Amino acid sequence: MSRRAYVRPLDLKHGCVDLSHGAGGRAMQQLIDELFAPAFSSAGTSDDIGRGDDGAVLPPLAAGERMVIATDSHVVSPLFFPGGDIGSLAVHGTVNDVAMMGARPLYLSVGFILEEGFALADLARIVASMGAAARAAGVCIVTGDTKVVEQGNGDGVFVNTTGFGALPATRSLSGAYARPGDSILLSGSIGDHGMAIMSKRESLAFDSEIESDSAALHELVAAMLEAVPSSAECGDPDRGLRLLRDPTRGGLASTLNEIALQSDVGIQLQESALSVKPQVAAACEFLGLDPLYVANEGKLLAVCASADAARLLQAMRAHPLGAEATVIGEVVEDAQHFVQMHTRFGGRRNVDWLSGEQLPRIC
Amino acid sequence: MSRRAYVRPLDLKHGCVDLSHGAGGRAMQQLIDELFAPAFSSAGTSDDIGRGDDGAVLPPLAAGERMVIATDSHVVSPLFFPGGDIGSLAVHGTVNDVAMMGARPLYLSVGFILEEGFALADLARIVASMGAAARAAGVCIVTGDTKVVEQGNGDGVFVNTTGFGALPATRSLSGAYARPGDSILLSGSIGDHGMAIMSKRESLAFDSEIESDSAALHELVAAMLEAVPSSAECGDPDRGLRLLRDPTRGGLASTLNEIALQSDVGIQLQESALSVKPQVAAACEFLGLDPLYVANEGKLLAVCASADAARLLQAMRAHPLGAEATVIGEVVEDAQHFVQMHTRFGGRRNVDWLSGEQLPRIC
């Protein structure tokens, strides 16, 4: 097709984003053809997907399955950090939000807001990372959009991803389902992502580099639901998994407070069951941050009926992303919705909502 | 619920967005509770929607229906303009992308990227406008996300909307379906949205203010498909509607060039059939812009088998948003994919892709 041949290919080494790349004309088409399409290509896309129309038609779900959607904009700074970049993070973050609903992630839409002057080489690196993360997670990027703003009105690149997944007919998980007596499990250490970002941003040097835990959790979720189905599926209100959450912005403390509020309960935590890596603890201490409020991007929190806690813990530990899972506390009755922690030293501490901004632009 | 009561309500008159509003803690929860939730509330949401989880569970579609998705980030500047604002535009733009696929728009997700210091009063106005536009279009805002960037790293507010709609089992429309001999119809005048933005941005004063044509087109689309089903539904390749497109960024010229490329055809336009409002024509002349390349946000282009053009035109004209519809040209064979226009003066002119940026941040 002669008119697809652009006069010059994009200069992916020295070129920059300019306003024409968001204008809906030939330059935008070239960016799609030469940069986005190759990176996002994947096997198994249907004919209806990515054929250049205003949107995508998704193949039908299996009978009884419902569609789950979740959306997240990503503004993390810096764009590249130990353990990931804004591209992989944008895939993992939204895949995880879909998975936390109990759904099997299937598709992503992607919206870029680029700043004029941003290096095409960096964009190519981010887009390649997104494509690789999506393929690794088995999700297909089906439609997208690109806008460009003038230099000084953005910050390199912002990425919105919206995720779509299939929820089995009778499965139901929600932050509103926790009940007094339930057990609370966490899949591993806390604070890794937030401190990886902060260490990079503040140019902190520790003996060992802190890596983000950014990861797609849907396979861990599938293994957990295989072992312990949701209470709705069990048909017995005293059994089953109640809810899953990934404690991202605001950290574990904020997620627990949300659950307490949504479920009209209180929460009792055991500090001794929480794990913080030594270099993360050191960085937190240096910056005056509490790891309970620091973002994670590859950890999940589960609440289940106490009768199923042991089985759920076993299933989590059998998966690489849950190898260090522990039972961190229990749900209690509390009309005030307090989250309280039994400290290592035998005391008790209120773990309140994050008030104010601890870590800006962490995701 | 005592802990939902914030110490002080948001100051929607004099307050500003600060970084804490994107931090996942109490301030973000307050923004959701006091600003977003009331504006986006709508009758008829299912229990699964908007209950504070990481995403939303959509009710199942009817048997055989498929889900259509489309995503768009909006960075329009200025945020408020004659005929709309970034909020209503973000709803209309994505509703229209879903409708152009032949689907019935049902749900939207919304992602905000706010700049620190942005006035809460302006945010409230935008959010109210989004809510009103969504209710008017009969779509439900089901899930969302808010991020905040430091002052100087954004520009007030950027809005991503992702839309979901239901496509009947046998319906299929695509930019790849145009065939030589087909008729091309346009629903009204061109250039209104782009020139409304530019006039406001350049502080141009004309005798009459130029208003954006921003509008949700799904009801016009439904009326058109009622009169002329898609070729796939007709079962006769010489009948039916081939495709719908809304000529936004890059204007009518870019949309026609995309179709020519996708369908491997050429296009012949009649300039005499195109309508440009006098004040839009005057503003274009003043700024040296060609209305063929100026964005529209409430117009659609249809390609149908010529045997159905009269019926389709009648259906369009019977709807307020298509009252001034005309047949503007036809599809021809052309391996070069040229879009050519027969001018009013009997000449012929190539209508090429937009090259470079004509109008930045128009949507």
Side-chain angles (χ1 to χ4, degrees), chain A residues 1-4 19-20 22-29 48 51-60 65-75 97 100-101 109-113 142-150 152-155 158 160 162 164 167 172-177 244-246 249-250 254 257-258 261-262 335-339 352-358 360-361 363, chain B residues 1-4 19-20 22-29 48 51-60 65-75 97 100-101 109-113 142-150 152-155 158 160 162 164 167 172-177 244-246 249-250 254 257-258 261-262 335-339 352-358 360-361 363:
Chain A
M1 293 200 287
S2 57
R3 303 184 71 219
R4 266 228 198 250
L19 289 169
S20 72
R26 197 193 290 266
M28 192 170 93
Q29 192 61 45
D48 282 331
R51 65 181 175 192
D53 289 319
D54 285 333
V57 181
L58 302 183
E65 284 188 333
R66 287 157 300 160
M67 183 73 82
V68 160
I69 58 168
T71 193
D72 244 328
S73 296
H74 297 83
V75 299
D97 281 347
M100 295 307 126
M101 306 286 290
S109 69
V110 179
F112 291 98
I113 298 175
V142 292
T143 191
D145 174 62
T146 307
K147 294 292 190 308
V148 180
V149 297
E150 309 88 337
N153 286 325
D155 193 17
F158 301 143
N160 175 280
T162 303
F164 314 88
L167 184 70
S172 186
L173 299 172
S174 169
Y177 291 171
L244 297 169
R245 277 289 173 85
D246 54 337
R249 271 185 294 176
S254 299
N257 272 283
E258 279 170 26
L261 185 64
Q262 269 186 280
Q336 301 290 310
H337 313 137
F338 281 119
V339 177
D352 201 358
W353 288 86
L354 171 66
S355 54
E357 166 68 28
Q358 195 181 33
R361 297 184 60 184
C363 61
Chain B
M1 294 200 288
S2 57
R3 302 184 71 221
R4 268 233 197 245
L19 289 169
S20 72
R26 197 194 290 266
M28 191 171 93
Q29 193 61 45
D48 282 332
R51 65 182 174 190
D53 288 320
D54 285 333
V57 181
L58 303 183
E65 284 188 332
R66 288 157 300 160
M67 183 73 81
V68 161
I69 59 169
T71 193
D72 244 329
S73 296
H74 297 83
V75 299
D97 281 348
M100 294 308 126
M101 306 286 291
S109 69
V110 179
F112 291 98
I113 298 176
V142 292
T143 191
D145 175 60
T146 307
K147 293 292 189 309
V148 180
V149 296
E150 310 87 338
N153 285 325
D155 193 17
F158 301 144
N160 175 280
T162 303
F164 314 88
L167 184 70
S172 187
L173 299 173
S174 170
Y177 292 171
L244 296 169
R245 277 288 173 86
D246 54 337
R249 271 186 293 177
S254 299
N257 273 284
E258 279 169 27
L261 186 64
Q262 269 186 279
Q336 301 291 309
H337 313 138
F338 281 119
V339 177
D352 201 358
W353 288 86
L354 171 66
S355 54
E357 167 68 28
Q358 195 181 34
R361 297 184 61 185
C363 61

Side-chain angles (χ1 to χ4, degrees), chain A residues 37-119:
Chain A
F40 293 160
S41 71
S42 65
T45 62
S46 100
D47 279 352
D48 282 331
I49 286 175
R51 65 181 175 192
D53 289 319
D54 285 333
V57 181
L58 302 183
L61 299 181
E65 284 188 333
R66 287 157 300 160
M67 183 73 82
V68 160
I69 58 168
T71 193
D72 244 328
S73 296
H74 297 83
V75 299
V76 66
S77 171
L79 296 170
F80 302 95
F81 49 83
D85 56 61
I86 193 171
S88 55
L89 186 69
V91 171
H92 294 157
T94 298
V95 160
N96 289 348
D97 281 347
V98 169
M100 295 307 126
M101 306 286 290
R104 191 172 75 255
L106 295 169
Y107 310 105
L108 288 178
S109 69
V110 179
F112 291 98
I113 298 175
L114 306 175
E115 185 187 9
E116 180 189 16
F118 188 62

Side-chain angles (χ1 to χ4, degrees), chain A residues 256-313:
Chain A
L256 290 171
N257 272 283
E258 279 170 26
I259 293 169
L261 185 64
Q262 269 186 280
S263 290
D264 191 16
V265 295
I267 285 172
Q268 300 280 342
L269 279 185
Q270 297 296 335
E271 187 176 25
S272 58
L274 296 177
S275 144
V276 183
K277 289 183 180 144
Q279 66 269 39
V280 171
C284 279
E285 200 174 316
F286 185 81
L287 294 172
L289 298 170
D290 182 340
L292 280 170
Y293 294 89
V294 176
N296 312 278
E297 291 289 346
K299 297 299 176 336
L300 66 77
L301 185 89
V303 177
C304 72
S306 58
D308 287 309
R311 182 194 301 266
L312 188 62
L313 186 64

Side-chain angles (χ1 to χ4, degrees), chain A residues 118-143:
Chain A
F118 188 62
L120 287 177
D122 285 339
L123 182 60
R125 204 174 140 200
I126 289 165
V127 166
S129 165
M130 287 192 85
R135 280 187 295 275
V139 297
C140 185
I141 297 175
V142 292
T143 191

